[in-house]
Amino acid sequence: MTSRIHPMALTCMLGMSLATSASAHGFQVIHDFTNGTDGGVPPYTLVLNKKGQLVGTADEGGANQAGVIFSMKQKKSRWSLKPLYNFGDTDGQPGWGVTLNKGSMYSIASYAEVMHGPCGTALQINKSQKQWQSVAMHTFVQGEDGCPTGNMVLDKNGNAYGVTQNGGADGWGSIYELSPSGGSWTETILYTFTGGSDGGAPYSGMIFDKAGNLYGTATAGGAAGCGQGCGTVFELSPSKSGWVYSAIYSFTGGNDGGQPTAGLVFDKSGNLYGAAESFGANNGGTIFELTPSSGSWTFNLLASPSGSGGPVVALTVASPTAIYGTNFFDGADSYGSVFRVTKSGSKWTYKDLHDFTGGSDGGYPGGGVTLDAKGNLYGTAVLGGADNFGVVWEIGK
C-alpha cells in the first residue's frame, strides 16, 4: 500500500532534484511560493470565498516561519497573493486546509508527535480590526483523543466535527465534536475506532448530508485481508441516545481498491463519490460511487487508474457527468497528475489532464481540484516552481 507523505518531509527528502517542465495545454502556474511572507509548500485543497478569492494554507514560511493562511484574487489576467494569518509556535504548522463558516476560518495545525503527547490544535481564526486572530479550540493529545487530520466540518449551530488518525483509546483514531460555550470550546468524543470491522486511521475530514448524518473514510480495518484491513466508508448518525456508527462499505483490496485516504463528496442526487489510493485492477487505486437504496448502499466502480497510487484527497463533482481530481503520485513523471472522469450513457471514461514534472509546473499536488463558476480548475503542488517551494496552478476551461 502507498501512503501520503507530509509535504514538509517530502520537500526535505527530495531537495532540489527537479525534472524539466512540460506543461499541458491550458495549464499555467499562477503563483510560485518563495518561502518568504507568502509561505511555502501548500499542502491541501483551496477553497473559494464569497468574493471569488482562493483561500489556502502553506506549511512553511510566513512571518514566523511556521506557515500561513493566504488568499489570492485575480484582477484582469493577473493574480496576487495576500497573507491573512501567520501561524505561530503554539499553533503548530498547517498540514491541511481551511474551512470557511460565517466569517471565520477554521484550520487544523500539527505538532511533532513526542511520547504520545500534544500533537495538534484546532483553530478558529476571526477577523478583528482588519487583522485575523486565532482562538485555540482544542489541543489534541495522541495518547488520549489522537492526532488531528483533515479539515473540520461545521453544523448550523457552529459545532465543529473532525477526525484523528492515530492515538485515542484504542490507538486507531477517533471522531470528535467541538462545541462552543461561553467563549470556550468543549470536546466530545463521538466514536473511537477499533481497527477491526469498523475501520481505523481515518485521514480525511467528513461531510454532512441534508439529514445531519456524517460520512467519512477510514484507511485501515474493515474486511479481512490487506494486512490490517483495506479500509471502510462509514456513516455516523445522530439519535436520541447518542451517535450511531456504521461501516457502509468495506474494501477488499481487489478491483474495488483499498486504503481510501481521500474524503467523500455528494452529488445533488445524494450519491457519494470517493477514491481508494491503492490496489484496483491497474494498481493505481479506484474511483467509486456509493448509491443509497432502501437503507443500504451499493458500490459502483467508475474507474481504475494505472500507476503507483490513486487520489489522496476528495474528488470534485462538477456535474452529473463530470468529476475532477488529483493523484499525489503517478503521472508520466511520477510527480502527480490532474484528471477528469466523464460519463457517457452508463460508461465512465478517465482522462489525464496534466502530468506534473517537478519542475516549473510544480510536483505532488497535495490538494484536490477547486472549480470556479466559469469552469476553471485550481489547485496546489507542494514542491517545484521557480523556488522549489510549490505552486498554485490553474487549468482554464
Side-chain angles (χ1 to χ4, degrees):
M1 291 189 294
T2 58
S3 60
R4 185 181 175 214
I5 301 172
H6 192 277
M8 183 167 60
L10 181 63
T11 303
C12 296
M13 179 178 70
L14 294 175
M16 295 296 292
S17 177
L18 301 179
T20 304
S21 175
S23 295
H25 177 71
F27 179 98
Q28 64 173 326
V29 170
I30 60 175
H31 183 75
D32 288 291
F33 287 91
T34 68
N35 208 40
T37 57
D38 62 336
V41 191
Y44 213 62
T45 307
L46 303 166
V47 293
L48 278 171
N49 65 17
K50 293 180 179 180
K51 297 179 180 180
Q53 300 169 340
L54 296 169
V55 181
T57 58
D59 188 71
E60 298 182 8
N64 303 314
Q65 288 297 303
V68 300
I69 296 175
F70 63 85
S71 67
M72 290 186 63
K73 65 178 181 179
Q74 185 178 30
K75 187 174 182 180
K76 295 183 179 179
S77 60
R78 294 180 63 87
W79 286 87
S80 60
L81 182 146
K82 179 182 178 181
L84 300 179
Y85 177 75
N86 289 285
F87 287 80
D89 291 339
T90 57
D91 295 335
Q93 290 180 271
W96 291 272
V98 171
T99 300
L100 305 179
N101 187 71
K102 297 181 180 179
S104 295
M105 302 186 294
Y106 297 81
S107 191
I108 292 293
S110 298
Y111 303 138
E113 300 169 21
V114 180
M115 296 298 290
H116 300 284
C119 53
T121 54
L123 298 172
Q124 180 190 43
I125 303 166
N126 307 306
K127 195 168 187 179
S128 176
Q129 298 180 347
K130 298 184 178 181
Q131 289 187 337
W132 292 90
Q133 299 178 340
S134 68
V135 173
M137 302 164 66
H138 182 70
T139 298
F140 295 87
V141 177
Q142 184 182 14
E144 297 174 4
D145 45 10
C147 299
T149 180
N151 283 357
M152 292 180 286
V153 61
L154 281 85
D155 65 18
K156 60 183 180 181
N157 296 317
N159 302 302
Y161 301 82
V163 298
T164 64
Q165 187 180 28
N166 55 8
D170 294 303
W172 288 99
S174 61
I175 300 173
Y176 64 85
E177 174 187 6
L178 297 175
S179 303
S181 177
S184 63
W185 293 78
T186 301
E187 184 196 45
T188 303
I189 300 298
L190 305 181
Y191 186 77
T192 298
F193 290 92
T194 69
S197 60
D198 60 335
Y203 182 83
S204 292
M206 301 173 293
I207 58 173
F208 275 111
D209 67 8
K210 294 178 181 179
N213 303 303
L214 285 163
Y215 295 84
T217 57
T219 64
C226 308
Q228 294 177 323
C230 304
T232 62
V233 177
F234 64 82
E235 175 185 359
L236 193 67
S237 302
S239 71
K240 292 181 179 179
S241 58
W243 291 79
V244 178
Y245 180 95
S246 58
I248 62 176
Y249 186 78
S250 292
F251 291 86
T252 69
N255 287 345
D256 62 340
Q259 194 181 15
T261 309
L264 302 167
V265 60
F266 276 110
D267 67 11
K268 292 181 179 179
S269 299
N271 303 304
L272 282 168
Y273 294 85
E277 184 182 357
S278 305
F279 304 106
N282 299 310
N283 297 315
T286 60
I287 298 164
F288 62 85
E289 174 190 32
L290 286 167
T291 58
S293 177
S294 302
S296 63
W297 294 81
T298 300
F299 181 94
N300 303 305
L301 179 64
L302 305 186
S304 300
S306 60
S308 56
V312 299
V313 288
L315 305 169
T316 298
V317 177
S319 72
T321 59
I323 301 170
Y324 294 90
T326 61
N327 294 309
F328 189 67
F329 299 105
D330 203 14
D333 298 295
S334 298
Y335 280 98
S337 60
V338 185
F339 64 84
R340 180 178 65 215
V341 184
T342 53
K343 185 178 184 181
S344 178
S346 60
K347 182 181 179 181
W348 290 84
T349 302
Y350 180 98
K351 181 179 181 181
D352 192 12
L353 300 181
H354 179 74
D355 292 324
F356 291 91
T357 69
S360 62
D361 64 333
Y364 300 116
V369 171
T370 301
L371 192 70
D372 70 11
K374 297 179 180 179
N376 301 306
L377 312 180
Y378 302 92
T380 60
V382 300
L383 55 65
D387 297 292
N388 196 29
F389 285 105
V391 302
V392 177
W393 53 264
E394 174 188 5
I395 297 179
K397 186 178 179 180

